[in-house]
Amino acid sequence: MVTLASYDELPYDSLPLPETQPDFLAAIARLHGFESPDPRRARILELGCAQGGNLIPLAWRWPDCECVGVELSRVQAEAGAAFIRSLGLANVRILHGDLAALPADLGEFDYIIAHGVFSWVPPAVQAALLDVCRRHLVPRGLAYVSFNVAAGWTPLLPLRAALVERTAAGLPAPARYARALRVLDDLQAEWRDPLLLKEIAYLKGAAPSYLFHEYLAEFNAPIGFSDFATQLDAHGLRYVGEAGPRNAVVELEDAWGLAPEGMTGRWIDAECALDDAFGTRFRRALIARADAACAHPPQARALGTLAFCADLRSDEEIDLEDAIEQAFVNPAGNAFRVGEPLLKAAVMVLAARYPQAIAYAELLAAARALLQEYGAEPPADAAAFGDALFALAMAHGVMPTVWEGPTGHAPPKRPCAHALARQQAGTPGWVVSGARHVALDLDVPGRALLAALDGSRTIDQLLDLMRAALAQAGSVPAPERLLEAMWRQLWLFARQGLLQDGSPPSREP
Ligand SMILES: C[S@@+](CC[C@H](N)C(=O)[O-])C[C@H]1O[C@@H](n2cnc3c(N)ncnc32)[C@H](O)[C@@H]1O
């Protein structure tokens, strides 16, 4: 069987990607007027799934789903298959093979995910990928296909050309990466273009796999959105919407008299204009079969049918009386400014209930109650709230979803993490995924602690274990600092839905 040597040598960081979660995709599609299947019992296919860091947590989360991954790199496919075997998970498998030559009996899927694949494969495989979407989607199924966009990438192509030209393609991946870093130093001294210098500075600190697979890969073919839409058309597919964060959305105010079919051309043109205006580099397109119902640009009025979750905090004292803008920050460090007092209250409610999602009506009621508790008068009309929530959801400050998700609970006396989290923490090269499909950035002692949470140890025993692990690494913190650090970790695990509720593990293989 063939393999893909570049990914065998320097595997892509295989992470959970929140924007690919089918419950989120279903919510985004609904904002676009498109109803997709229930994600909790869906068949999910991931193309170019690497070692399954994105797919396996989805299968774990929804036991009634059936998940299939396809990956051309033998090393990654085998690592994923071994991980699944030792977890004893029966509803997910990873096939080592070419997405352009799928087994005939694979069947249809409700969701197809292809993240970071389309722009990085030759044109024939691009066509095959879209073909797979057409042939293997159920009638109302949704595919997620991300790709590099010409509008933002064209100015960066001289940097890619210089890196490819000045590093030998035949070098082993780590040596080529080291050489590329030296080339970046040279280019920094030679070049004057501020955009390219900014990108060089970014690349010097970025993950090696990013530089390698974006800038040194054999294929990286950014495409204009209108060309992408033309390709969809040629494959019997159509655009449904964008699953990436957006600070501006298309509004077609003059399209009220048009049939949905007639609106599509204008919508695509407007999307292209946004790409040019914002220098869009990357898109996460949601697509459906051309014979499925038409979608339209996203509209706030569909918010009422959705639920929302948010892991935001603020360092400011939140003013619930005045419409002054205040910043809320997510764990990745992205800041979102909110002025509408009712929305500030809603964000506080969501943050307190994370990882659980709250349905629109309940959220609005809870936000109103919070304002009243603080002596502020809630507005009679929720229109401004709806508009502000819509903008925040489009920017991914809050995530819309159709899945309520788990509730967090306090760490019990003998904390027990679920088996997936323990195995992720205890397996080098795997990232721990939180309840909402986020990658958790844990240090070595944090991973050791999580891997040890099998429900058999008391807090004191866990402390002893941590102390011994740290002593072995040459660091001996003061007892109170160790205790504080351990509780901080345990509360993070609890908030991320990794801990079971003190009861015996229910999902052990
Ligand atoms: C940039 S990586 C993205 C990996 C993963 N989807 C993610 O986002 O973390 C592209 C992946 O597609 C795989 N790939 C490339 N060509 C493929 C093909 N023809 N069939 C299946 N997988 C392929 C590569 O081996 C690699 O793992």
Side-chain angles (χ1 to χ4, degrees), residues 232-248:
L232 293 184
D233 209 29
H235 285 85
L237 296 164
R238 76 163 89 221
Y239 182 61
V240 170
E242 170 64 36
R246 317 206 75 174
N247 291 317

Side-chain angles (χ1 to χ4, degrees), residues 116-460:
V117 183
F118 188 82
S119 296
W120 300 266
V121 290
V125 183
Q126 291 188 340
L129 192 154
L130 296 181
D131 235 36
V132 170
C133 294
R134 178 62 188 87
R135 278 187 291 116
H136 290 277
L137 273 181
V138 298
R140 286 186 299 111
L142 265 186
Y144 164 112
V145 176
S146 64
F147 56 92
N148 281 340
V149 180
W153 259 96
T154 304
L156 300 174
L157 290 178
L159 177 55
R160 175 171 147 80
L163 281 164
V164 169
E165 204 174 285
R166 297 190 197 187
T167 60
L171 279 179
R176 193 169 178 217
Y177 172 72
R179 175 89 193 102
L181 286 182
R182 292 200 294 278
V183 173
L184 287 177
D185 285 338
D186 295 345
L187 295 175
Q188 217 165 15
E190 290 168 28
W191 286 2
R192 292 284 164 270
D193 182 323
L195 182 80
L196 293 173
L197 289 175
K198 190 170 165 214
E199 184 68 4
I200 289 170
Y202 169 75
L203 284 179
K204 287 170 82 171
S209 63
Y210 178 79
L211 189 152
F212 197 82
H213 295 301
E214 291 284 0
Y215 277 88
L216 300 173
E218 189 181 355
F219 296 99
N220 176 354
I223 180 174
F225 184 65
S226 90
D227 290 341
F228 182 74
T230 304
Q231 287 204 34
L232 293 184
D233 209 29
H235 285 85
L237 296 164
R238 76 163 89 221
Y239 182 61
V240 170
E242 170 64 36
R246 317 206 75 174
N247 291 317
V249 295
V250 168
E251 284 180 47
L252 295 179
E253 282 168 7
D254 56 347
W256 61 270
L258 292 177
E261 300 287 351
M263 189 193 60
T264 306
R266 284 202 203 175
W267 180 14
I268 301 297
D269 288 348
E271 291 284 348
C272 293
L274 279 187
D275 285 352
D276 289 338
F278 289 99
T280 306
R281 274 201 203 181
F282 191 60
R283 270 186 176 267
R284 299 164 166 96
L286 285 183
I287 60 189
R289 287 165 44 157
D291 59 359
C294 270
H296 54 63
Q299 290 173 1
R301 66 164 186 248
L303 288 175
T305 67
L306 299 174
F308 304 86
C309 64
D311 190 6
L312 293 171
R313 60 173 181 78
S314 182
D315 294 333
E316 303 175 39
E317 190 176 328
I318 298 303
D319 180 345
L320 292 177
E321 288 187 35
D322 300 314
I324 48 161
E325 282 203 346
Q326 295 186 278
F328 290 89
V329 182
N330 70 10
N334 301 316
F336 302 90
R337 300 196 67 76
V338 180
E340 175 67 30
L342 199 51
L343 185 57
K344 289 191 228 179
V347 166
M348 290 167 73
V349 170
L350 289 174
R353 293 264 283 274
Y354 187 85
Q356 203 183 358
I358 307 180
Y360 181 86
E362 189 192 337
L363 179 62
L364 181 57
R368 283 203 157 114
L370 190 63
L371 279 195
Q372 273 162 341
E373 203 179 299
Y374 279 82
E377 186 57 34
D381 173 12
F385 170 77
D387 288 345
L389 177 63
F390 178 64
L392 191 59
M394 283 287 122
H396 294 192
V398 302
M399 297 293 266
T401 176
V402 298
W403 176 57
E404 189 182 79
T407 47
H409 34 70
K413 280 186 189 144
R414 289 176 188 264
C416 183
H418 62 64
L420 170 66
R422 271 186 283 136
Q423 187 167 312
Q424 287 170 326
T427 315
W430 286 79
V431 170
V432 177
S433 52
R436 288 286 171 184
H437 215 51
V438 289
L440 300 184
D441 187 15
L442 300 180
D443 58 11
V444 174
R447 287 179 75 103
L449 175 65
L450 182 57
L453 300 184
D454 60 6
S456 71
R457 297 179 178 88
T458 62
I459 300 293
D460 284 345

